[in-house]
Coordinates of all heavy atoms in Angstrom, one line a residue:
M1 N 85.9 98.4 114.9 CA 86.5 99.6 114.3 C 87.9 99.7 115.0 O 88.0 99.7 116.2 CB 85.7 100.8 114.6 CG 86.4 102.1 114.3 SD 85.7 103.3 113.1 CE 84.1 103.0 112.9
A2 N 88.9 99.9 114.2 CA 90.3 100.1 114.7 C 90.6 101.6 114.8 O 90.3 102.4 113.8 CB 91.3 99.4 113.8
Y3 N 91.1 102.1 115.9 CA 91.5 103.5 116.1 C 93.0 103.5 116.3 O 93.6 102.6 116.9 CB 90.8 104.1 117.3 CG 89.3 104.2 117.2 CD1 88.5 103.1 117.8 CD2 88.7 105.2 116.6 CE1 87.2 103.2 117.7 CE2 87.3 105.3 116.5 CZ 86.6 104.3 117.1 OH 85.2 104.4 117.0
C4 N 93.6 104.6 115.9 CA 95.1 104.7 116.1 C 95.3 105.8 117.2 O 94.7 106.8 117.1 CB 95.7 105.1 114.8 SG 97.5 105.3 115.0
K5 N 96.1 105.4 118.1 CA 96.3 106.4 119.3 C 97.2 107.5 118.8 O 97.2 108.6 119.4 CB 97.0 105.6 120.4 CG 96.1 104.6 121.0 CD 96.8 103.9 122.2 CE 96.0 102.8 122.7 NZ 96.6 101.9 123.7
E6 N 98.0 107.4 117.8 CA 99.0 108.4 117.4 C 98.4 109.4 116.5 O 99.1 110.4 116.2 CB 100.2 107.7 116.7 CG 101.1 106.9 117.6 CD 100.6 105.5 117.8 OE1 99.6 105.1 117.2 OE2 101.1 104.7 118.6
N7 N 97.3 109.2 115.9 CA 96.7 110.1 114.9 C 95.2 109.9 114.9 O 94.6 109.2 115.7 CB 97.3 109.9 113.5 CG 97.3 108.5 113.1 OD1 96.3 107.8 113.1 ND2 98.5 107.9 112.7
T8 N 94.5 110.5 113.9 CA 93.1 110.5 113.8 C 92.5 109.4 112.9 O 91.3 109.3 112.7 CB 92.5 111.8 113.3 OG1 93.0 112.0 111.9 CG2 92.9 113.0 114.2
L9 N 93.3 108.5 112.5 CA 92.9 107.4 111.6 C 92.0 106.4 112.3 O 92.2 106.0 113.4 CB 94.2 106.6 111.1 CG 93.9 105.4 110.2 CD1 93.3 105.9 108.9 CD2 95.2 104.7 110.0
E10 N 90.9 106.1 111.6 CA 89.9 105.1 112.0 C 89.6 104.2 110.8 O 89.5 104.6 109.7 CB 88.6 105.8 112.4 CG 88.7 106.7 113.6 CD 87.4 107.4 113.9 OE1 86.3 106.9 113.5 OE2 87.4 108.4 114.5
Y11 N 89.6 102.9 111.1 CA 89.3 101.9 110.0 C 88.3 100.9 110.5 O 88.5 100.3 111.5 CB 90.6 101.2 109.6 CG 90.4 100.1 108.6 CD1 89.8 100.3 107.4 CD2 90.8 98.8 109.0 CE1 89.7 99.2 106.5 CE2 90.6 97.7 108.1 CZ 90.1 97.9 106.9 OH 89.9 96.9 106.1
D12 N 87.2 100.7 109.7 CA 86.2 99.7 110.0 C 86.2 98.6 108.9 O 85.7 98.8 107.8 CB 84.8 100.4 110.0 CG 83.7 99.5 110.5 OD1 83.9 98.3 110.5 OD2 82.6 100.0 110.8
A13 N 86.9 97.5 109.2 CA 87.0 96.4 108.3 C 85.7 95.8 107.8 O 85.6 95.3 106.7 CB 87.9 95.3 108.9
D14 N 84.7 96.0 108.6 CA 83.4 95.5 108.2 C 82.8 96.2 107.0 O 82.0 95.7 106.3 CB 82.4 95.5 109.4 CG 82.7 94.6 110.5 OD1 83.4 93.6 110.3 OD2 82.3 94.9 111.7
L15 N 83.2 97.4 106.8 CA 82.7 98.2 105.7 C 83.6 98.1 104.4 O 83.3 98.5 103.4 CB 82.7 99.7 106.0 CG 81.7 100.1 107.1 CD1 81.8 101.6 107.5 CD2 80.3 99.7 106.7
C16 N 84.8 97.4 104.6 CA 85.7 97.3 103.5 C 85.2 96.4 102.4 O 84.6 95.3 102.6 CB 87.0 96.7 104.0 SG 88.3 96.4 102.8
N17 N 85.3 96.8 101.1 CA 84.9 96.0 100.0 C 86.0 95.4 99.2 O 85.8 94.9 98.1 CB 84.0 96.9 99.0 CG 84.8 98.0 98.3 OD1 86.0 98.1 98.5 ND2 84.1 98.7 97.4
S18 N 87.2 95.4 99.8 CA 88.4 94.7 99.3 C 88.9 95.3 98.0 O 89.5 94.6 97.2 CB 88.1 93.2 99.1 OG 87.6 92.7 100.3
C19 N 88.7 96.5 97.7 CA 89.2 97.1 96.4 C 90.7 97.3 96.4 O 91.3 97.3 95.4 CB 88.4 98.4 96.1 SG 88.9 99.8 97.2
G20 N 91.3 97.5 97.6 CA 92.7 97.7 97.7 C 93.3 99.1 97.3 O 94.5 99.3 97.3
I21 N 92.4 100.0 97.0 CA 92.8 101.4 96.7 C 93.6 102.0 97.8 O 94.5 102.7 97.6 CB 91.6 102.2 96.2 CG1 91.1 101.6 94.9 CG2 92.0 103.7 96.0 CD1 89.9 102.3 94.3
C22 N 93.1 101.8 99.0 CA 93.8 102.4 100.2 C 95.3 102.1 100.2 O 96.1 102.9 100.5 CB 93.1 102.1 101.5 SG 93.0 100.3 101.8
A23 N 95.6 100.8 99.9 CA 97.0 100.4 99.9 C 97.8 101.0 98.8 O 98.9 101.3 99.0 CB 97.0 98.8 99.8
S24 N 97.1 101.2 97.7 CA 97.9 101.8 96.5 C 98.1 103.3 96.7 O 99.0 103.8 96.1 CB 97.2 101.5 95.2 OG 95.9 101.2 95.2
V25 N 97.2 104.0 97.4 CA 97.4 105.5 97.4 C 98.1 106.0 98.7 O 98.5 107.1 98.7 CB 96.0 106.2 97.4 CG1 95.3 105.9 96.0 CG2 95.1 105.9 98.5
C26 N 98.3 105.1 99.6 CA 99.0 105.6 100.9 C 100.5 105.7 100.7 O 101.2 104.7 100.3 CB 98.7 104.6 102.0 SG 99.5 105.0 103.5
P27 N 101.0 106.9 100.9 CA 102.5 107.1 100.7 C 103.3 106.4 101.8 O 104.5 106.3 101.6 CB 102.6 108.6 100.7 CG 101.5 109.1 101.5 CD 100.3 108.1 101.3
H28 N 102.8 106.0 102.9 CA 103.5 105.4 103.9 C 103.2 103.9 104.2 O 103.7 103.3 105.2 CB 103.3 106.2 105.2 CG 104.1 107.5 105.2 ND1 105.1 107.8 106.1 CD2 103.9 108.6 104.5 CE1 105.6 109.0 105.8 NE2 104.9 109.5 104.8
G29 N 102.4 103.3 103.3 CA 102.2 101.8 103.5 C 101.4 101.5 104.7 O 101.6 100.4 105.3
V30 N 100.5 102.4 105.1 CA 99.7 102.1 106.3 C 98.7 100.9 106.1 O 98.5 100.1 107.0 CB 98.9 103.4 106.7 CG1 97.9 103.1 107.8 CG2 99.8 104.5 107.1
F31 N 98.2 100.7 104.9 CA 97.3 99.6 104.6 C 98.0 98.6 103.7 O 98.9 99.0 102.9 CB 96.1 100.2 103.9 CG 95.2 100.9 104.8 CD1 95.3 102.3 104.9 CD2 94.2 100.3 105.6 CE1 94.5 103.1 105.7 CE2 93.4 101.0 106.4 CZ 93.5 102.4 106.5
K32 N 97.6 97.4 103.8 CA 98.1 96.4 102.9 C 96.9 95.6 102.3 O 96.0 95.3 103.0 CB 99.0 95.4 103.6 CG 99.5 94.3 102.7 CD 100.5 93.3 103.5 CE 100.9 92.3 102.5 NZ 101.9 91.4 103.1
A33 N 96.9 95.5 101.0 CA 95.9 94.7 100.3 C 96.1 93.2 100.7 O 97.2 92.7 100.6 CB 95.9 94.8 98.8
D34 N 95.1 92.6 101.3 CA 95.1 91.3 101.8 C 94.0 90.5 101.2 O 93.0 91.1 100.7 CB 95.1 91.3 103.3 CG 95.8 90.1 103.9 OD1 96.1 89.1 103.2 OD2 96.0 90.1 105.2
K35 N 94.0 89.2 101.4 CA 92.8 88.4 100.9 C 91.6 88.9 101.6 O 91.5 88.8 102.9 CB 93.1 86.9 101.2 CG 94.3 86.4 100.6 CD 94.6 85.0 101.1 CE 96.0 84.6 100.7 NZ 96.5 83.5 101.5
G36 N 90.6 89.3 100.9 CA 89.3 89.7 101.5 C 89.3 91.1 101.9 O 88.6 91.9 101.3
K37 N 90.0 91.5 102.9 CA 89.9 92.9 103.5 C 91.2 93.6 103.5 O 92.3 92.9 103.5 CB 89.4 92.9 104.9 CG 88.1 92.2 105.1 CD 86.9 93.1 104.6 CE 85.6 92.4 104.9 NZ 84.5 93.1 104.2
A38 N 91.2 94.9 103.4 CA 92.4 95.7 103.6 C 92.9 95.4 105.0 O 92.1 95.3 105.9 CB 92.2 97.1 103.3
R39 N 94.2 95.4 105.2 CA 94.7 95.2 106.6 C 95.5 96.5 107.0 O 96.3 97.0 106.2 CB 95.6 94.0 106.6 CG 96.0 93.6 108.0 CD 96.5 92.1 108.0 NE 97.4 91.8 106.9 CZ 98.7 91.7 107.0 NH1 99.3 92.0 108.1 NH2 99.4 91.4 105.9
L40 N 95.2 97.0 108.2 CA 95.9 98.1 108.7 C 97.2 97.6 109.3 O 97.2 96.9 110.3 CB 95.0 98.7 109.8 CG 95.4 100.0 110.4 CD1 95.5 101.1 109.4 CD2 94.3 100.5 111.4
V41 N 98.3 97.9 108.7 CA 99.6 97.3 109.1 C 100.5 98.2 110.0 O 101.2 97.7 110.9 CB 100.4 96.7 107.9 CG1 99.7 95.5 107.4 CG2 100.6 97.7 106.9
V42 N 100.5 99.5 109.7 CA 101.3 100.4 110.5 C 100.6 101.7 110.7 O 100.9 102.8 110.1 CB 102.7 100.7 109.8 CG1 103.7 99.5 110.0 CG2 102.6 101.0 108.3
A43 N 99.6 101.7 111.5 CA 98.7 102.8 111.7 C 99.5 104.1 112.2 O 99.2 105.2 111.8 CB 97.6 102.5 112.7
A44 N 100.5 103.9 113.0 CA 101.3 105.0 113.5 C 102.0 105.7 112.4 O 102.4 106.9 112.7 CB 102.2 104.5 114.6
E45 N 102.2 105.2 111.3 CA 102.9 105.8 110.2 C 102.0 106.8 109.4 O 102.5 107.5 108.5 CB 103.5 104.8 109.2 CG 104.7 104.0 109.8 CD 105.9 104.9 110.1 OE1 106.3 105.7 109.3 OE2 106.4 104.7 111.2
C46 N 100.7 106.8 109.7 CA 99.8 107.6 109.0 C 100.1 109.1 109.1 O 100.3 109.6 110.2 CB 98.4 107.4 109.5 SG 97.1 108.5 108.7
M47 N 100.3 109.8 108.0 CA 100.6 111.2 108.1 C 99.4 112.1 107.9 O 99.4 113.3 107.7 CB 101.7 111.6 107.0 CG 101.3 111.4 105.6 SD 102.7 111.6 104.5 CE 102.1 113.0 103.6
E48 N 98.2 111.5 107.9 CA 96.9 112.1 107.9 C 96.7 113.0 106.6 O 96.1 114.0 106.6 CB 96.7 112.9 109.1 CG 96.6 112.1 110.4 CD 96.7 112.8 111.7 OE1 97.6 113.6 111.9 OE2 95.7 112.6 112.4
C49 N 97.2 112.5 105.5 CA 97.0 113.2 104.2 C 95.6 113.1 103.7 O 95.1 113.9 102.9 CB 98.0 112.7 103.2 SG 97.7 111.0 102.6
G50 N 94.9 112.0 104.0 CA 93.5 111.8 103.6 C 93.3 111.0 102.3 O 92.2 110.8 101.9
A51 N 94.4 110.6 101.7 CA 94.3 109.9 100.4 C 93.4 108.7 100.5 O 92.6 108.4 99.7 CB 95.6 109.6 99.8
C52 N 93.7 107.9 101.6 CA 92.9 106.6 101.7 C 91.4 106.9 101.9 O 90.6 106.3 101.3 CB 93.5 105.8 102.9 SG 93.5 106.7 104.5
A53 N 91.1 107.8 102.8 CA 89.7 108.1 103.1 C 89.0 108.7 101.9 O 87.8 108.4 101.6 CB 89.6 109.1 104.3
M54 N 89.7 109.6 101.1 CA 89.1 110.2 99.9 C 88.8 109.2 98.8 O 87.9 109.3 98.0 CB 90.0 111.3 99.4 CG 89.9 112.6 100.2 SD 90.8 113.9 99.4 CE 92.5 113.4 99.5
N55 N 89.6 108.1 98.8 CA 89.4 107.1 97.8 C 88.6 105.9 98.3 O 88.4 104.9 97.5 CB 90.8 106.6 97.3 CG 91.4 107.7 96.4 OD1 91.0 107.8 95.3 ND2 92.3 108.5 97.0
C56 N 88.1 105.9 99.5 CA 87.4 104.7 100.0 C 85.9 104.9 99.7 O 85.3 105.8 100.3 CB 87.6 104.6 101.5 SG 86.8 103.2 102.2
S57 N 85.4 104.2 98.8 CA 84.0 104.4 98.4 C 83.0 103.9 99.4 O 81.8 104.3 99.3 CB 83.7 103.7 97.0 OG 83.9 102.3 97.2
T58 N 83.4 103.1 100.4 CA 82.4 102.6 101.4 C 82.5 103.3 102.7 O 81.7 103.0 103.6 CB 82.7 101.1 101.6 OG1 84.0 101.0 102.2 CG2 82.6 100.3 100.4
G59 N 83.4 104.2 102.9 CA 83.5 105.0 104.1 C 84.2 104.2 105.3 O 84.0 104.5 106.4
A60 N 84.9 103.1 104.9 CA 85.5 102.3 105.9 C 86.7 103.0 106.6 O 87.1 102.6 107.7 CB 86.0 101.0 105.3
I61 N 87.2 104.0 105.9 CA 88.4 104.7 106.5 C 88.0 106.2 106.7 O 87.4 106.8 105.9 CB 89.6 104.7 105.5 CG1 89.9 103.2 105.2 CG2 90.8 105.4 106.1 CD1 90.9 103.1 104.0
K62 N 88.4 106.7 107.9 CA 88.1 108.1 108.3 C 89.4 108.6 108.8 O 90.1 107.9 109.6 CB 87.0 108.2 109.3 CG 85.7 107.8 108.7 CD 84.6 108.0 109.8 CE 83.3 107.5 109.1 NZ 82.3 107.2 110.1
V63 N 89.8 109.8 108.5 CA 90.9 110.5 109.0 C 90.7 112.0 108.9 O 90.1 112.5 107.9 CB 92.2 110.0 108.3 CG1 92.3 110.5 106.9 CG2 93.5 110.5 109.0
D64 N 91.2 112.7 109.9 CA 91.0 114.2 109.8 C 92.3 114.7 109.1 O 93.4 114.8 109.7 CB 91.0 114.8 111.2 CG 90.7 116.3 111.3 OD1 90.7 116.9 110.2 OD2 90.5 116.8 112.4
S65 N 92.1 115.1 107.8 CA 93.2 115.5 107.0 C 93.6 117.0 107.2 O 94.5 117.4 106.6 CB 93.0 115.2 105.5 OG 91.8 115.9 105.1
D66 N 93.0 117.7 108.1 CA 93.3 119.1 108.4 C 94.3 119.2 109.5 O 94.6 120.3 110.0 CB 92.1 119.9 108.8 CG 91.1 120.0 107.6 OD1 91.6 120.0 106.4 OD2 89.9 120.1 107.8
V67 N 94.8 118.1 110.0 CA 95.7 118.1 111.1 C 96.9 117.2 110.8 O 96.9 116.5 109.8 CB 95.1 117.6 112.5 CG1 93.9 118.4 112.9 CG2 94.7 116.1 112.3
G68 N 97.9 117.1 111.6 CA 99.0 116.2 111.4 C 100.0 116.6 110.4 O 100.1 117.8 110.0
C69 N 100.9 115.7 110.1 CA 102.1 115.9 109.3 C 101.8 116.5 107.9 O 102.4 117.5 107.5 CB 102.9 114.6 109.2 SG 104.4 114.8 108.4
A70 N 100.9 115.9 107.2 CA 100.6 116.4 105.8 C 100.1 117.8 105.8 O 100.5 118.6 105.0 CB 99.6 115.5 105.2
A71 N 99.2 118.1 106.8 CA 98.7 119.5 106.9 C 99.9 120.5 107.2 O 99.9 121.6 106.7 CB 97.6 119.6 107.9
A72 N 100.7 120.1 108.1 CA 101.9 120.9 108.5 C 102.8 121.2 107.3 O 103.3 122.3 107.1 CB 102.7 120.3 109.6
M73 N 103.0 120.2 106.5 CA 103.9 120.3 105.3 C 103.2 121.3 104.3 O 103.9 122.1 103.7 CB 104.2 119.0 104.7 CG 105.1 118.1 105.5 SD 105.3 116.5 104.8 CE 106.1 116.9 103.2
M74 N 101.9 121.1 104.1 CA 101.2 122.0 103.1 C 101.2 123.4 103.6 O 101.5 124.3 102.8 CB 99.8 121.5 102.8 CG 99.8 120.2 102.0 SD 98.1 119.6 101.6 CE 97.7 118.8 103.2
K75 N 100.9 123.6 104.8 CA 100.9 125.0 105.4 C 102.3 125.6 105.3 O 102.4 126.8 104.9 CB 100.4 125.0 106.8 CG 99.0 124.7 106.9 CD 98.5 124.6 108.4 CE 97.0 124.2 108.4 NZ 96.6 123.8 109.8
A76 N 103.4 124.9 105.6 CA 104.7 125.4 105.5 C 105.0 125.8 104.0 O 105.6 126.8 103.8 CB 105.7 124.4 106.0
A77 N 104.6 125.0 103.1 CA 104.9 125.2 101.7 C 104.1 126.5 101.2 O 104.7 127.3 100.5 CB 104.5 124.0 100.8
L78 N 102.9 126.6 101.6 CA 102.1 127.8 101.2 C 102.6 129.1 101.9 O 102.5 130.2 101.3 CB 100.6 127.6 101.7 CG 99.9 126.5 100.8 CD1 98.5 126.3 101.5 CD2 99.7 127.0 99.4
M79 N 103.2 129.0 103.0 CA 103.8 130.2 103.7 C 105.2 130.4 103.4 O 105.8 131.3 103.9 CB 103.6 130.0 105.2 CG 102.1 129.9 105.6 SD 101.9 129.6 107.4 CE 102.0 131.3 107.9
G80 N 105.8 129.6 102.5 CA 107.2 129.8 102.0 C 108.2 129.4 103.1 O 109.3 129.9 103.0
R81 N 107.8 128.5 103.9 CA 108.8 128.0 105.0 C 109.3 126.7 104.6 O 108.6 126.0 103.8 CB 108.1 128.0 106.3 CG 107.7 129.3 106.8 CD 107.0 129.2 108.2 NE 106.5 130.5 108.6 CZ 105.5 130.6 109.5 NH1 105.0 129.5 110.0 NH2 105.0 131.8 109.8
G82 N 110.3 126.2 105.1 CA 110.8 124.9 104.9 C 109.9 123.9 105.5 O 109.3 124.1 106.5
A83 N 109.7 122.8 104.8 CA 108.9 121.7 105.3 C 109.5 121.1 106.6 O 110.7 120.9 106.7 CB 108.6 120.6 104.3
S84 N 108.6 120.7 107.5 CA 109.1 120.1 108.7 C 109.5 118.6 108.4 O 109.1 118.1 107.4 CB 108.1 120.1 109.8 OG 107.4 119.0 109.9
S85 N 110.3 118.0 109.3 CA 110.7 116.6 109.0 C 109.8 115.6 109.7 O 110.1 114.5 109.9 CB 112.1 116.5 109.5 OG 112.1 116.7 110.9
C86 N 108.5 116.0 110.0 CA 107.6 115.2 110.7 C 107.2 113.9 110.0 O 106.8 113.0 110.6 CB 106.4 115.9 111.1 SG 105.4 116.5 109.8
C87 N 107.4 113.9 108.7 CA 106.9 112.8 107.9 C 108.1 111.8 107.6 O 107.9 110.9 106.8 CB 106.3 113.2 106.6 SG 104.7 114.1 106.9
G88 N 109.2 112.0 108.1 CA 110.3 111.1 108.0 C 110.8 111.0 106.6 O 110.8 110.5 105.7

């Protein structure tokens, strides 16, 4: 299991079924569809939006989507504040 030190992202390649959906839904290119298994290429770029985990049918990807950059942007939008620049 791969853990990212910068965020809550966890990826277990042994559970990956090679569908490639994680690579297509990630707005920051954290995953890359590769021969056989998805590859975690830039884990530190994960904004913890949860799109990959929500679309992973095997549970190979876990992320706490209630924290991090994506959550901060959504909370700012709901409260009528400007979005932070945390997502680059």
Side-chain angles (χ1 to χ4, degrees):
M1 169 125 19
Y3 297 94
C4 183
K5 294 178 184 175
E6 291 84 3
N7 51 51
T8 62
L9 179 64
E10 298 176 21
Y11 172 60
D12 188 343
D14 292 334
L15 296 176
C16 179
N17 67 359
S18 309
C19 70
I21 293 174
C22 56
S24 23
V25 299
C26 179
H28 286 246
V30 171
F31 291 93
K32 180 177 180 176
D34 206 350
K35 301 171 193 158
K37 304 283 181 191
R39 192 162 38 101
L40 188 57
V41 289
V42 284
E45 292 293 316
C46 176
M47 62 187 245
E48 297 169 302
C49 68
C52 57
M54 285 188 291
N55 287 282
C56 182
S57 64
T58 65
I61 303 169
K62 293 180 181 160
V63 66
D64 186 353
S65 59
D66 292 332
V67 299
C69 184
M73 290 178 61
M74 289 184 277
K75 288 175 187 170
L78 289 171
M79 297 178 83
R81 297 181 186 154
S84 97
S85 62
C86 63
C87 294

